[in-house]
Amino acid sequence: MANRRASITDLAKQLNLSPSTISRALSDHEDVSQATKLRVRQLATALNYQPNQLAAGLRRGRSKMLGVLVPHIIGNFFPQVVHGIATEASLSGFNVMIFQSNEDEQQERKNIELLMNAQVEGILVSLANTTHNFEHFEMVQNNTIPLVFFDRIVEGIAGTSVGAVVIDDYQGAYEVVTHLVAQGCTRIAHFTGPLHLNIHRNRHQGYLDALQAHDLPAEEELTIFCEMTLDGGTQGMQQLLALPQRPDAVFSSIDVAAVGAMQVLKKAGIRVPQDIALAGFSNEQFTSFTDPAITSVDQHCELMGRTAVQLLLDMITDDPERPASPHNIVLKPKLLIRESSLRK
């Protein structure tokens, strides 16, 4: 027993009582004598017995547990979203069970099955960037488990038990490009990830529409599809510098790729922002500490986590006396202008 947690069965065996009697004694039930209650509590203290709250909740039909599935817990964005989720869940008496898909669709599918088997009361998900098949989320719906997507979402899945919380990616990208144009940039490149993901598709569309609004051509060679990583940004910038006419600005769909681009420019002796301006998206913590600091878009990550939990709990509660909450919530982005794009 020294290597495992003491159970009600352990207490019952030592006291020669039934597990049900132990349970009633620990619950101070009136049909158990005071002498028996005292014996049970003394042994429970000696063995450091802790009740299994999850099992007790399941017996009552409630696990008080929420499942959370994110692509990864690195950088600033997802850890801050998860912090917001855990904080808001705790305020309502819920715990969270957190899994990572590691950007892998099959791992994402397995994690969804694990969360369902754990009988969580609701699931919060941000998609892996390789996910194209959404049958595992339909399975969640079929089991009537409330489901809220955040940041990276499945578009087209509807129902009373499905919701989404996102930032206005289109508007954020539009504002970035408009700012770069105001700084005198006329040949603006864009680093983007796979367009089947809503965040990259909407940011790319914001980029294209802002160019059009300012009578600038959307040149195909200036859209670089790359991994949203340091190496991806490095390779993307090298590709741009190899063009006959290089860009005078780069807008990256994710901050970390902008850092990779900056490293290439510094090695080549190209000045930021005087020769090529840079801007990213996500407001990762490191963007304030690069030299120069990188212009970015704040996604209000902790607010996104809190809002996603509030929406999920509204679905779980499903109180007919309460007005219905919107199942799709769009948060407003905030452009943070820093030295990497300030040419005027």
Side-chain angles (χ1 to χ4, degrees), residues 1-7 9-11 13-14 43 47-48:
M1 196 184 305
N3 295 323
R4 67 178 178 84
R5 186 162 127 175
S7 67
T9 302
D10 295 323
L11 301 182
K13 285 180 179 179
Q14 291 205 31
L43 182 60
L47 297 182
N48 195 28

Side-chain angles (χ1 to χ4, degrees), residues 67-124:
V68 181
L69 178 55
V70 293
H72 51 75
I73 307 180
I74 56 176
N76 180 63
F77 177 72
F78 284 114
Q80 286 297 312
V81 174
V82 169
H83 175 71
I85 288 172
T87 300
E88 191 66 27
S90 179
L91 291 175
S92 297
F94 281 78
N95 294 310
V96 296
M97 187 180 296
I98 303 167
F99 286 91
Q100 299 180 78
S101 67
N102 294 312
E103 302 286 17
D104 180 78
E105 180 180 337
Q106 293 305 314
Q107 187 63 50
E108 181 179 86
R109 183 182 299 273
K110 290 177 183 176
N111 288 340
I112 287 293
E113 292 174 356
L114 287 170
L115 288 170
M116 291 178 65
N117 289 336
Q119 300 186 53
V120 296
E121 294 193 44
I123 299 176
L124 301 118

Side-chain angles (χ1 to χ4, degrees), residues 174 177-179 181-182 185 207-217:
Y174 192 99
V177 176
T178 298
H179 161 67
V181 172
C185 302
Y207 159 79
L208 294 176
D209 287 357
L211 291 179
Q212 183 178 31
H214 294 91
D215 297 320
L216 295 175

Side-chain angles (χ1 to χ4, degrees), residues 176 179-185 248-250 262 271-279 292-296 335-344:
V176 169
H179 161 67
L180 292 171
V181 172
Q183 296 300 305
C185 302
D248 56 11
V250 176
M262 181 181 287
R271 299 171 301 166
V272 178
Q274 295 91 335
D275 301 321
I276 297 182
L278 288 178
I294 296 175
T295 290
S296 190
L335 177 61
L336 302 175
I337 298 172
R338 301 187 179 110
E339 290 82 359
S340 70
S341 64
L342 283 172
R343 304 177 74 180
K344 293 186 177 179

Side-chain angles (χ1 to χ4, degrees), residues 72 74 103 129 191-193 200 226-237 252-261 263 286:
H72 51 75
I74 56 176
E103 302 286 17
N129 63 23
F191 290 168
T192 185
H200 297 307
C226 60
E227 293 290 331
M228 291 291 101
T229 62
L230 198 67
D231 287 343
T234 297
Q235 294 168 13
M237 195 69 245
S252 176
S253 188
I254 298 290
D255 285 331
V256 67
V259 176
Q263 291 178 344
F286 58 73

Side-chain angles (χ1 to χ4, degrees), residues 27-49:
S27 300
D28 199 25
H29 201 283
E30 61 183 13
D31 67 358
V32 179
S33 71
Q34 290 300 321
T36 299
K37 290 178 183 177
L38 180 60
R39 290 172 59 212
V40 170
R41 290 170 184 164
Q42 287 176 337
L43 182 60
T45 300
L47 297 182
N48 195 28
Y49 167 78

